[in-house]
Amino acid sequence: MSNTPKGRAPWYRTPVDHTTLKRLVQTNDRIGLVYLGGFVVALGFSGYLAFLSIDTLWSIPAFLTYGGVWVFATSISHETCHGTAFRSRWLNETVLFLSGALVQQTPTGLRWTHARHHNHTGMADKDVELVLTNPLSWRGFLWGQLCDVNSIFYYVKLVVLLSIGQPDQEHRDCLSKIALRRTCWEARAFLLVYTLVILWSILLHTWWPVLIFLFPRITGAPVHGVILATQHIGLAQNARDYRITTRTMLVNPLLRFVYWNMNYHIEHHMYRMVPFHALPALHNEIKHDCPAPTRGVHAALKEMFDTVARQQFAPDYSLPRVINSS
């Protein structure tokens, strides 16, 4: 159980032996670099194919693939914002900045707002990452979430607002004054890079720099939207139990690799200090006290579509979660 202010119900966490937990929380530069290296290779190879496909019909599948890889930079920025991707702090902070630049997520802003998400997961009035509240509408679910339109516009607008020193209300609520100043300068650095890419295209009289360095975030949006939806969409809200507000999935090894094991999402929320590479082991420690994992993205989508359909007639409905043990 977590410590909470007097009068407030605590979050439920499945107990884990102290010695085991101490072993699981160990970070590792080597493992982090292997995962990072795999992402860089996949991004470089798919980007090269996308570059070769420009002005051909092959550009459609090539850029969809390239964008699909690109958006998994969010997995890297997410893990590094927790400080658990690498043991070395300088490496963690450097990778956080670079990966954040790919997906318009400022390091300081992400770290503070994401902490709020963990502290208030699924709380309609507190969770800043809870874009869609129950009951879900078809438009919000299909267009805003699965097509990722909400995310694209939010982060692009946010970078612009931060760069001119006008943070949105969520950042004002979550960040200290010092952190706000820092994230504004990070946004300015991001905007400078994006502007230089556009100027590069103008000087060369070609679209390829924009297509290679900015466009993939758009072509990869549906992949990002679907994967992000599997974490919490269709589940209960306003409940202090990650087992009913958060979804763990069993997925293939390739997706696990590029997703940095975030398919083990109940585990991640229960023990956020456990690094990504130890989440499968943590899953084995607590699975006796959690719902059976959803088997794959397809099954998660089926759960979500069924929930949205039911909520049109029963607004209070959320996916029932059968806990293996009490």
Side-chain angles (χ1 to χ4, degrees):
M1 297 288 186
S2 60
N3 294 324
T4 56
K6 185 177 180 180
R8 178 181 295 179
W11 288 92
Y12 179 82
R13 287 182 174 85
T14 302
V16 175
D17 176 72
H18 177 74
T19 301
T20 301
L21 189 59
K22 186 176 180 180
R23 171 175 55 83
L24 291 175
V25 299
Q26 299 302 310
T27 53
N28 188 297
D29 282 352
R30 181 182 60 82
I31 298 176
L33 287 171
V34 168
Y35 275 72
L36 178 63
F39 172 77
V40 171
V41 169
L43 189 66
F45 181 70
S46 59
Y48 178 65
L49 294 180
F51 175 75
L52 294 178
S53 75
I54 294 176
D55 295 328
T56 74
L57 290 177
W58 288 105
S59 62
I60 297 175
F63 272 91
L64 288 174
T65 301
Y66 181 37
V69 176
W70 182 286
V71 293
F72 279 102
T74 56
S75 300
I76 304 172
S77 61
H78 167 265
E79 190 67 21
T80 49
C81 93
H82 277 283
T84 50
F86 307 96
R87 178 175 291 275
S88 303
R89 182 176 179 181
W90 72 267
L91 185 57
N92 203 86
E93 295 303 305
T94 300
V95 174
L96 171 57
F97 185 88
L98 295 175
S99 60
L102 295 182
V103 287
Q104 294 78 55
Q105 294 181 342
T106 58
T108 304
L110 176 61
R111 178 172 283 131
W112 284 64
T113 57
H114 191 65
R116 173 72 67 91
H117 166 62
H118 272 271
N119 292 336
H120 302 282
T121 304
M123 297 295 174
D125 59 338
K126 293 285 188 179
D127 187 352
V128 297
E129 294 186 17
L130 184 63
V131 178
L132 301 177
T133 56
N134 291 332
L136 303 168
S137 70
W138 280 113
R139 177 181 172 81
F141 173 61
L142 296 174
W143 180 246
Q145 180 64 57
L146 296 190
C147 293
D148 206 33
V149 173
N150 287 347
S151 179
I152 291 177
F153 279 103
Y154 173 78
Y155 285 111
V156 171
K157 178 182 178 182
L158 183 60
V159 167
V160 174
L161 288 175
L162 288 170
S163 67
I164 61 175
Q166 297 295 323
D168 63 356
Q169 190 59 50
E170 291 176 349
H171 277 64
R172 293 180 187 274
D173 290 342
C174 295
L175 278 67
S176 68
K177 290 183 178 180
I178 294 176
L180 268 178
R181 286 197 294 269
R182 181 172 181 176
T183 201
C184 285
W185 280 107
E186 292 166 350
R188 289 166 189 144
F190 283 8
L191 196 60
L192 175 62
V193 171
Y194 306 149
T195 302
L196 289 175
V197 171
I198 295 172
L199 289 175
W200 185 11
S201 281
I202 294 173
L203 290 173
L204 293 181
H205 301 288
T206 177
W207 283 103
W208 76 256
V210 169
L211 291 175
I212 294 299
F213 296 109
L214 300 180
F215 191 54
R217 176 61 186 90
I218 297 175
T219 60
V223 172
H224 180 259
V226 169
I227 296 300
L228 191 64
T230 64
Q231 296 177 359
H232 303 285
I233 293 293
L235 303 177
Q237 296 174 357
N238 299 316
R240 293 180 174 274
D241 190 337
Y242 300 117
R243 300 175 299 173
I244 63 174
T245 64
T246 307
R247 180 183 282 104
T248 282
M249 299 187 300
L250 298 181
V251 298
N252 65 71
L254 179 60
L255 180 54
R256 274 181 51 188
F257 185 82
V258 296
Y259 195 22
W260 287 48
N261 283 330
M262 278 303 117
N263 54 291
Y264 294 108
H265 217 62
I266 294 175
E267 294 77 3
H268 170 64
H269 271 263
M270 276 196 184
Y271 292 97
R272 72 183 84 169
M273 77 292 293
V274 173
F276 70 99
H277 57 81
L279 290 177
L282 177 59
H283 170 73
N284 288 331
E285 292 292 329
I286 70 172
K287 64 182 181 181
H288 67 279
D289 192 37
C290 294
T294 301
R295 294 190 172 275
V297 175
H298 179 267
L301 283 169
K302 186 177 183 301
E303 290 176 354
M304 289 185 280
F305 272 91
D306 180 65
T307 297
V308 178
R310 288 172 179 256
Q311 286 182 350
Q312 307 313 300
F313 306 97
D316 294 333
Y317 176 85
S318 61
L319 182 71
R321 307 293 273 167
V322 178
I323 308 301
N324 290 333
S325 66
S326 58

